[in-house]
Amino acid sequence: ESVAIQHYIQQNGITQIYPLTQVEIPAKADLTVIPFGLEFRLMNVTQPLTYGMDVPLILTFADGSERTLRLTVQNPDNE
């Protein structure tokens, strides 16, 4: 399992997807991840994701430290 980071930009009615290898977050800043903006896409998922399930996401920072977030699978119809 892995995560792809993608940035969606819409121009002239066309959506372009730009893959990213990293995201720079200044100290004490917020990062907003939204569909069709900045998005983390789960790749090579080995089991079905179900509503309410917790999924760990490990962030690795430039200094080598890590932080694990627990993300909850939501219903895509409840935006």
Side-chain angles (χ1 to χ4, degrees), residues 12-45:
N12 301 323
I14 298 172
T15 301
Q16 297 288 325
I17 302 171
Y18 298 94
L20 303 174
T21 57
Q22 65 183 17
V23 176
E24 186 171 325
I25 308 169
K28 299 187 182 197
D30 292 329
L31 175 68
T32 302
V33 179
I34 58 171
F36 299 105
L38 181 62
E39 183 173 289
F40 295 129
R41 181 172 294 246
L42 301 177
M43 308 297 288
N44 305 314
V45 176

Side-chain angles (χ1 to χ4, degrees), residues 35 51 74-79:
Y51 177 78
Q74 296 183 355
N75 183 345
D77 296 329
N78 291 341
E79 299 185 64

Side-chain angles (χ1 to χ4, degrees), residues 34-66:
I34 58 171
F36 299 105
L38 181 62
E39 183 173 289
F40 295 129
R41 181 172 294 246
L42 301 177
M43 308 297 288
N44 305 314
V45 176
T46 58
Q47 65 183 36
L49 299 175
T50 58
Y51 177 78
M53 174 185 223
D54 283 337
V55 177
L57 175 65
I58 301 170
L59 303 178
T60 304
F61 296 93
D63 66 1
S65 65
E66 293 182 345

